[in-house]
Amino acid sequence: MRKINLLLLIGTLSVSALGFGQDTLTISKKDIGQIAKDKNLQLQIANQAFKSAQADYRQSNALFLPSITASHTAISTTNPLMAFGSKLNQEVLTASDFNPALLNDPAVTQNYATKIEVLQPLINVDGLYGRQAAKSKMEAFQLQTERTGEYLALEVNKSFMQLQLAYKAVKVLEKANATADANLKLIENYFKQGILQKTDVLSVQVRVNEIKNQLQYAKSNVQNASDYLAFLLNEDNTNKVYKPLEELDNTISISSNNTTLSSNRKDILAMDKSSEAYAKMYQSSKMNFLPSLNAFGSYELYDDTLFGTNAQGYLVGAQLSWKVFDGYKSIGKMEKAKAEYQKAKVETQQYKSQSQLELNKTNRQLKDAENKVNLEKLALEQSQEAYRIRSNRFTQGLEKTTDLLQAETQMFQKELQLLQAVFEYDFTQEYLQFLTK
């Protein structure tokens, strides 16, 4: 046995070599939960989607904050109007410049203008509703990201339990393999003594080969479950296989669960926020018919040399604008926003109904899973007793080989079915908690 450090695990993971020909990394349920939060790709995608919505909301700050631009323009012109205007801005006009000959055919005139412009929004009612819509959208993405984290925790736990089940299956089949080998030796001894026929030996050999084949499949399932867990953790699982620190128990813990759909569930709140965002967009489209008021101003510097500041001036003002008719564009936009809002409302209602349907179904599945565990447990006990009796009778020559093989097969099959039933109950219980969270 040797040890290595897995960088992103909170503790040091022990490494041992098993029958899989790979390094086995022992992990606990607590460790993988934190790693998934830090590294899972789906959660990273959700976080980036939230940041995108957050950036959209921050853009709406332009509704209150001024827009400021600075520019420096250099021109050289013989255009009469531009030449005269440039000298006027430079404050260098003289009486001779009004000579008609110079006005009509000016010399080359150079002008350098430095300009600082400010645009300050004052009243934009449609923008206010647009900002509220962006905020609701951001909050919806935040809630959805949190719900993604909750779903990730569920999926990681499920993957961990699948890995536990896979290891348990290997252990059961290894025990079945050992039992089959022992039975084969016993049958071969009986055959050598002339007690049994060759067909009995062949039947047991077929059974041994079947178990070995099932064991190989079980080991492959361990690798498959380990690979999927590594995918969720965003870890490189090359030449490695995970082994759970905690084993899957063959008993269940019955606990009372909330059976009502919570209106505070993150995904349901996200749907409500999404509908709210569409409602605000609809209001914004209606407010687009109202006038808007904006203030503007500029400070300008002119000279005939680069970055010169000999002449200066400013301009301030305000503009009240009202889009009276834009060819039905605003009306169409409003109708579209209304339709999208109504669609969002119906989708939210449908989602809540589906969630309640899923919750009711899962409640029934949990009860069914509990009954299945109890029945499988009873069936296992009965099959073990049946195998014990048949095995004793077989050694006394009172049972057929086929009956012994059938009892042995049924016993190990029932043990695997019990483990599967326990897994189904445990996961259904966690899924129910997820639905009511």
Side-chain angles (χ1 to χ4, degrees), residues 65-348:
L65 301 178
S67 174
I68 303 173
T69 58
S71 64
H72 185 78
T73 305
I75 64 170
S76 179
T77 181
T78 58
N79 180 279
L81 182 61
M82 294 296 294
F84 184 81
S86 296
K87 287 187 175 183
L88 186 62
N89 284 331
Q90 295 171 12
E91 302 176 3
V92 294
L93 279 178
T94 62
S96 61
D97 290 316
F98 288 91
N99 184 341
L102 294 177
L103 287 174
N104 292 324
D105 188 18
V108 175
T109 304
Q110 293 180 334
N111 184 54
Y112 299 90
T114 302
K115 190 175 184 180
I116 300 174
E117 295 179 286
V118 179
L119 178 63
Q120 175 63 58
L122 296 178
I123 302 176
N124 293 276
V125 183
D126 59 332
L128 290 173
Y129 282 102
R131 175 178 170 84
Q132 293 174 10
K135 183 178 181 181
S136 296
K137 176 186 174 184
M138 177 188 70
E139 292 172 345
F141 272 95
Q142 183 179 18
L143 290 165
Q144 195 60 49
T145 300
E146 293 174 4
R147 187 61 175 175
T148 301
E150 293 175 352
Y151 176 76
L152 172 63
L154 174 70
E155 190 67 14
V156 168
N157 288 341
K158 177 184 176 182
S159 177
F160 187 80
M161 289 189 293
Q162 286 175 330
L163 189 61
Q164 289 177 314
L165 179 63
Y167 270 100
K168 271 287 191 179
V170 169
K171 185 175 292 187
V172 170
L173 288 170
E174 285 177 342
K175 185 170 61 175
N177 187 50
T179 302
D181 285 340
N183 286 336
L184 179 60
K185 290 181 181 179
L186 179 64
I187 298 297
E188 288 175 342
N189 287 334
Y190 284 168
F191 173 69
K192 291 177 182 178
Q193 296 172 18
I195 300 175
L196 297 177
Q197 301 294 323
K198 180 66 174 178
T199 55
D200 295 314
V201 178
L202 293 175
S203 296
V204 178
Q205 288 175 339
V206 170
R207 172 61 182 161
V208 169
N209 291 333
E210 288 177 349
I211 293 177
K212 291 185 183 299
N213 191 41
Q214 292 174 6
L215 180 58
Q216 183 57 46
Y217 274 112
K219 290 181 178 181
S220 295
N221 286 336
V222 168
Q223 185 65 64
N224 293 337
S226 179
D227 288 347
Y228 182 61
L229 184 57
F231 165 74
L232 293 177
L233 303 181
N234 194 22
E235 292 281 357
D236 182 12
N237 203 38
T238 306
N239 296 323
K240 299 182 183 69
V241 64
Y242 288 130
K243 182 178 181 180
L245 184 63
E246 306 91 346
E247 286 192 355
L248 181 68
D249 202 354
N250 60 356
T251 60
I252 59 175
S253 176
I254 307 297
S255 61
S256 58
N257 294 284
N258 182 17
T259 59
T260 58
L261 185 65
S262 173
S263 59
N264 293 323
R265 214 173 76 179
K266 298 292 192 306
D267 54 337
I268 293 178
L269 290 175
M271 292 293 292
D272 289 336
K273 283 292 181 182
S274 179
S275 295
E276 183 180 311
Y278 280 107
K280 297 298 182 183
M281 288 301 297
Y282 175 45
Q283 291 294 327
S284 175
S285 66
K286 291 197 293 185
M287 295 301 108
N288 193 42
F289 293 98
L290 297 179
S292 61
L293 179 63
N294 299 286
F296 58 89
S298 64
Y299 181 70
E300 304 167 2
L301 300 169
Y302 297 96
D303 207 321
D304 59 356
T305 60
L306 188 64
F307 298 113
T309 59
N310 273 342
Q312 57 186 0
Y314 70 87
L315 172 68
V316 293
Q319 182 185 46
L320 179 68
S321 60
W322 194 345
K323 193 178 294 183
V324 179
F325 183 70
D326 58 1
Y328 215 77
K329 181 179 179 181
S330 296
I331 297 176
K333 183 179 179 182
M334 182 186 69
E335 291 176 346
K336 179 181 178 180
K338 181 180 179 180
E340 290 179 341
Y341 168 51
Q342 295 297 335
K343 177 186 174 185
K345 283 177 58 179
V346 175
E347 286 177 341
T348 301

